[in-house]
Amino acid sequence: MPANTTASSPKKKKGRRARLLVIVLVLALVAGVGYGTYWSISTVRASFPQTTGTLKLDGLRAQVEVKRDNYGIPQIYADSDEDLFRAQGFVQAQDRFWEMDVRRHMTAGRLSEMFGSGQVETDAFLRTLGWRRVAQQEYDTKLTPETKKNLQAYADGVNAYLKGRGGKDLSVEYAALSFTNDYKPEQWTPVDSVAWLKAMAWDLRGNMQEEIDRSLLTSRLTEKQIKDLYPSYPYDRNKPIVDEGGINPATGKFDPDAKPSGLSGGDSGGNNPAGAAQGLNSQLAALSKTLDTIPALLGPSGSGIGSNSWVVSGDYTTTGKPMLANDPHLAPSLPSLWYQMGLHCRTVSASCQYDTAGYTFSGTPGVIIGHNQDIAWGFTNLGADVTDLYLEKLAGDSYQVGAEVKKLATRKEVIKIAGGGSKTITVRSTGHGPLVSDRSNELEKVGQKAPVSNSAPDRGAGYAVALQWTALVPGKSMDAVFELNRAKDFKTFRAAAENFEVPAQNLVYADSKNNIGYQAPGKIPVRAEGDGTTPAPGWDPKYKWKGFIPFDELPYEYNPERGYVVTANQAVVDAKKYPYLITKDYGYGARSQRINDLIESKIQGGGKISTEDMRTMQMDNSSEIAKRLTPHLLKIDVSDSYVREAQKLLEGWDYTQDPDSGAAAYFNGVWRNVLKLAFGNKLPKELRVEGECLNVRPADSSAPDDQLTERVRECGQRDTESAQPDGGDRWYEVVIKILEDENNEWWKSPASRTDSATTTRDQLLARAMEDARWELTAELGKDASSWSWGRLHQLTLRNQTLGTEGPGFLQFVLNRGPWNLGGGEAAVNATGWNAAGGYGVNWVPSMRMVVNVGDWDKSRWISLTGASGHAYSAHYTDQTDKWANGELLDWAYSAQAVSQKTADTLKLTP
């Protein structure tokens, strides 16, 4: 018999009492709407995992131990690979099966089976992309037998947990779902795990949104204005990741020590023809709107999504060994995307090869980011341009390529709907990829009025739009996960990276022998023509992909002379020194350069970097745009005493965005209004935030603004998390480039009901300061001295299914918050917000870790939420307060350290 079936050790009594009090309150609320008899304490507790005692697990060869600490973080000990991954599947299902089940339905385009007809259009788009089909092809044709064996063992462990369980025995969400749906979970399969990497790739796919936005801008802005809004990367100010090396002409491989050839990789063979370069007209908004409905599992698209990671050589650390930091910036979710875990072979051998710990994905075996006994590694988004949209000329069931007419590939997909019924869709594809324009009535018209060159084929009923994307080609990324977990040195690390084809990520490296390094992996296309910044003419064969950048020619570094490597979504390598185009839409380097500056200041001052220094750097709240803009704001002669009271907050401010800072609150209010006045109100409706309406010039009018006699009412259409201007570091660069030009055209803003028109920089800044004063008065009160950034900049954690779409009482049960946060857009402490949509936090450092290489038990880590996905578990959000305060937890790794931290032990037996 198990010693305890509810995971309550003596160390947790206080947490349990608090939890039961909350349960009583929730039950009282639920009873008020008629569910009290069903939602009993036994219902809430039924799905809590057993974490002590002994359980039989079918298929095990020998006993496995699962040791959990006070935060419920499990460390698994086994004697074979199969036992290790079988136990991993079982344990993750204990804590996170609802999350796993929703993910696999999303990746397969089967959300309607769980949540009903409201998800049919989302499912249709996901079926069109075909993530699950590609994952099946990967499993069938690409993955090694060893990887398949590990995937199968993991699936067997999940299914062992599901055996005999259903509904409330799995989670509170299933109990709630049972009111409207007789849904029952299916068995887990290895392909369910592989498919999750496709979802990861989707949210990290590169510049697809920018490609759409550039095209939409053509309806309102000139080519020069669009170029202003997408400035070139500031290589002279913000260092790329790799600042030395190039392709060695003798070997044809990238050599970190080689002298660059001076080739420019900026255009990859040329530009789009004049007409096609302008892209699609405003009807592309339909595609953008469809993209907004796809679950943003990793984060909203735009300049914010990314991560920080850096590694410092032992020559500059207090331990004499390297230190590695990583904090991926992703969408806040409850539970967090990450699941902390240790996977330990009691004795590492040919039959049991793993002794690794770190951050895993629920539903996927292995460790994604972390360390083993020899090396540590971290990820940030490389941002490579791995997607292209193609205009396609259709005629019936055919499409045109040069002088040839080819047949569309088609397949039927049946979408089953909860409660009965189904919908059948036809997915059509060209040689470039699936026709994403088939997924709504509006999208059928995409390209109907797209400006194209004179050499384009007859428009007819319009052009369709196809998506070419590297993730739709079967690959070996799942192999790479296991290879990384087993890697022993830089050579085996790079061999693993070669198989990490999608999503393309920056990989940082450190090992116990005091080596550090970096590798840019990924399948990155080489375009025969065009630069991937706007939709390409699919009928022109010159615009096809002609292959991928060879792995040996991708940038890497090993023990660079400067003694550290920083990756934070900045440019990988100077485009003038590298012969291939990786992307034209990198992040602009505000975060990465700040990290570089912090490390260099410590080293140049003769100091050594400690674990605490690494943690402090992760929490750095400094605003680069505030440093640039605030001096100009303080020079504005403000006559209104009410606005002057707010302006005084900026005097003596050090540009840090702490949660209790009134100056940070006011500056960000001003920044939001500067962007709105200078840029936002001039963008087409397809990019502006939904619901915000303006009186604009008619599309067919050529009269100067001051002579217009009539304007048209036009309302924004974009989701608040992807509207523009979002305020990220691209917009920093836009403003920096015009800041000293007092009479730049962008500073002109039309008159409003209360304000006269602006024609100069200072006039617009003064108006933005006044607008921000009134806006923050409404948000925070009249007394500016009581303002604080954290009261504006709040994080609410929401369950990503029933916590966003369920009835109000259920959202109360599943969601948590708010928390008042510091940090901000493009700060190292990257608590992102969209300046077009408001001040609320919409992406975060989803975890933070600092690895002490070689002295692993002195490493530190934290997660956004907690280990458990069960709403009333003590470990649902037990790390969030510490995360918000910038604290880190001890990260035990050695058997001795794990034993000292163990609060509960569960023995799994054959």
Side-chain angles (χ1 to χ4, degrees), residues 204-276:
L204 300 174
R205 64 193 178 273
N207 76 334
M208 182 173 170
Q209 190 66 57
E210 286 85 352
E211 190 174 341
I212 292 169
D213 288 355
R214 282 190 185 91
S215 299
L216 295 172
L217 288 169
T218 61
S219 70
R220 180 63 58 83
L221 303 180
T222 66
E223 185 176 344
K224 179 188 179 302
Q225 288 174 318
I226 295 172
K227 188 175 181 180
D228 287 346
L229 300 187
Y230 290 89
S232 57
Y233 186 89
Y235 289 103
D236 58 333
R237 191 172 71 251
N238 296 342
K239 296 178 182 177
I241 298 170
V242 176
D243 57 6
E244 298 293 340
I247 305 296
N248 187 318
T251 64
K253 298 180 179 181
F254 188 89
D255 182 350
D257 299 319
K259 295 297 182 184
S261 64
L263 296 174
S264 174
D267 291 327
S268 185
N271 296 313
N272 290 339

Side-chain angles (χ1 to χ4, degrees), residues 597-809:
D597 291 345
L598 290 170
I599 294 172
E600 287 179 3
S601 66
K602 188 77 173 182
I603 291 174
Q604 291 172 1
K608 298 283 188 177
I609 294 173
S610 67
T611 304
E612 178 62 14
D613 291 330
M614 300 284 273
R615 184 199 69 81
T616 302
M617 290 179 197
Q618 288 181 324
M619 294 303 296
D620 185 82
N621 288 330
S622 179
S623 169
E624 176 65 23
I625 192 61
K627 293 177 187 176
R628 300 280 186 151
L629 191 56
T630 300
H632 292 276
L633 299 177
L634 288 173
K635 290 178 182 177
I636 302 294
D637 184 12
V638 176
S639 57
D640 186 328
S641 60
Y642 204 54
V643 180
R644 173 65 184 139
E645 181 188 11
Q647 186 188 35
K648 286 181 179 179
L649 293 173
L650 302 177
E651 294 176 356
W653 180 42
D654 62 359
Y655 316 122
T656 59
Q657 301 169 98
D658 296 328
D660 60 354
S661 171
Y666 183 56
F667 173 79
N668 283 314
V670 175
W671 172 239
R672 167 172 149 82
N673 281 279
V674 166
L675 292 172
K676 181 178 179 180
L677 292 169
F679 310 103
N681 291 348
K682 301 166 188 175
L683 301 181
K685 62 182 182 295
E686 293 86 2
L687 273 72
R688 297 202 315 272
V689 70
E690 188 173 8
E692 285 194 1
C693 301
L694 297 171
N695 293 321
V696 301
R697 83 166 37 248
D700 57 354
S701 173
S702 60
D705 279 347
D706 58 358
Q707 296 178 23
L708 278 177
T709 57
E710 183 178 334
R711 290 182 178 267
V712 177
R713 191 71 169 164
E714 187 181 83
C715 297
Q717 298 178 352
R718 185 65 67 81
D719 180 90
T720 55
E721 291 189 345
S722 58
Q724 294 295 334
D726 63 19
D729 64 357
R730 172 165 68 88
W731 292 99
Y732 288 18
E733 202 62 27
V734 170
V735 172
I736 287 170
K737 285 187 178 298
I738 67 171
L739 194 52
E740 302 307 322
D741 182 0
E742 298 180 35
N743 298 304
N744 190 281
E745 288 292 313
W746 287 109
W747 299 124
K748 295 182 178 180
S749 184
S752 69
R753 288 180 298 174
T754 57
D755 294 287
S756 59
T758 68
T759 58
T760 69
R761 176 197 65 202
D762 288 354
Q763 288 174 356
L764 186 139
L765 294 183
R767 184 164 158 187
M769 291 170 70
E770 181 180 355
D771 289 353
R773 180 28 157 149
W774 287 107
E775 182 181 0
L776 266 64
T777 296
E779 294 280 350
L780 301 176
K782 293 181 180 180
D783 181 6
S785 66
S786 71
W787 291 353
S788 69
W789 174 226
R791 286 172 57 205
L792 274 180
H793 191 52
Q794 292 187 326
L795 168 68
T796 297
L797 293 172
R798 292 183 173 86
N799 178 293
Q800 291 300 289
T801 52
L802 301 181
T804 57
E805 300 294 335
F809 83 88

Side-chain angles (χ1 to χ4, degrees), residues 368-417:
I368 303 299
I369 294 175
H371 72 83
N372 58 30
Q373 67 271 49
D374 297 304
I375 76 163
W377 66 94
F379 281 10
T380 64
N381 191 23
L382 192 151
D385 184 358
V386 296
T387 60
D388 276 338
L389 294 173
Y390 283 89
L391 297 174
E392 303 283 13
K393 173 58 181 174
L394 305 187
D397 60 357
S398 301
Y399 65 101
Q400 183 176 334
V401 181
E404 188 179 358
V405 175
K406 295 188 175 183
K407 199 86 166 176
L408 288 166
T410 63
R411 70 176 190 272
K412 300 287 186 182
E413 296 275 355
V414 179
I415 300 170
K416 297 179 181 178
I417 303 170

